[in-house]
């Protein structure tokens, strides 16, 4: 299945913006540092997200990025569609076949419905997860990490 790193980078970018933009001016350079990627790659993802109504960008010294919609109104499928194809034939590349072979000439027709079903299942699942869901999961994880560190610190203290 063809899924590039663009989708995870886009999710990471939007999550970064959602969590930090109210407190800090978010730029492609900051997101690139967080994603360990190139700022140009991040700017290209920002462009795709902006063109699809998920992000608002402003250039220049006072520029930055903000979410175009509330996190509860942005699904993983919205993000995926903004940066990846949802065309079954592009996701699943099928090799050339021999049209004189009984398997080869029918291969696409028997496989395509199953591939389309897989993409539809992926879409259905991704439509159930919002950016808000990820924000809440991140907050919970950070709380758990903080609790673990506090527990470790208490355990190291002499009695």
């Amino acid at each position: 299945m063809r899924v590039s790193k663009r989708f995870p980078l886009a999710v990471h970018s939007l999550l970064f913006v959602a969590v930090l933009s109210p407190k800090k001016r978010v730029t492609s350079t900051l997101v690139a540092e967080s994603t360990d990627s190139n700022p140009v790659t991040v700017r290209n993802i920002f462009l795709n997200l902006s063109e699809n109504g998920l992000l608002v960008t402003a250039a220049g010294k006072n520029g930055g990025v903000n979410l175009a919609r509330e996190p509860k109104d942005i699904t993983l499928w919205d993000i995926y569609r903004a940066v990846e194809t949802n065309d079954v034939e592009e996701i699943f590349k099928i090799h050339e076949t021999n049209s004189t072979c009984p398997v080869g000439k029918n291969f696409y027709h028997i496989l395509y419905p199953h591939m389309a079903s897989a993409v539809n299942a992926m879409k259905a699942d991704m439509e159930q997860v919002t950016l808000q869901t990820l924000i809440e999961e991140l907050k919970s994880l950070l709380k758990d990490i903080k609790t673990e560190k506090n527990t470790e610190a208490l355990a190291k203290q002499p009695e």
Side-chain angles (χ1 to χ4, degrees):
M1 184 147 100
R2 180 197 137 333
V3 178
S4 70
K5 69 178 184 174
R6 292 177 57 78
F7 172 64
L9 281 171
V11 173
H12 188 137
S13 298
L14 286 172
L15 190 56
F16 190 92
V17 170
V19 171
L20 291 182
S21 68
K23 301 171 192 116
K24 187 173 188 164
R25 185 173 76 94
V26 176
T27 65
S28 57
T29 302
L30 278 178
V31 174
E33 288 174 11
S34 179
T35 60
D36 198 23
S37 60
N38 187 305
V40 173
T41 302
V42 173
R43 281 192 288 278
N44 287 332
I45 288 172
F46 282 0
L47 179 64
N48 291 135
L49 295 171
S50 295
E51 290 172 343
N52 286 276
L54 302 177
L55 202 61
V56 176
T57 61
K61 273 187 177 179
N62 298 323
V65 295
N66 290 294
L67 297 180
R69 304 192 313 225
E70 292 296 318
K72 68 179 180 57
D73 298 325
I74 299 173
T75 68
L76 286 181
W77 185 249
D78 295 330
I79 301 166
Y80 179 86
R81 275 189 332 193
V83 298
E84 298 285 356
T85 182
N86 61 351
D87 181 354
V88 174
E89 293 179 25
E90 285 296 313
I91 293 172
F92 295 100
K93 296 283 190 182
I94 296 184
H95 60 282
E96 294 293 321
T97 60
N98 181 338
S99 62
T100 62
C101 171
V103 173
K105 74 178 176 184
N106 294 298
F107 183 73
Y108 174 85
H109 301 290
I110 61 171
L111 190 57
Y112 182 86
H114 300 289
M115 295 182 308
S117 177
V119 171
N120 288 333
M122 180 176 77
K123 176 184 176 192
D125 190 54
M126 293 172 87
E127 285 178 329
Q128 300 304 309
V129 180
T130 66
L131 191 59
Q132 185 63 45
T133 304
L134 299 181
I135 291 168
E136 291 165 10
E137 290 173 358
L138 177 63
K139 286 179 180 177
S140 177
L141 182 61
L142 292 173
K143 185 176 88 176
D144 290 347
I145 290 170
K146 186 176 181 181
T147 302
E148 285 176 25
K149 285 183 180 178
N150 289 341
T151 304
E152 288 172 13
L154 287 173
K156 290 180 181 178
Q157 290 182 356
E159 293 183 30

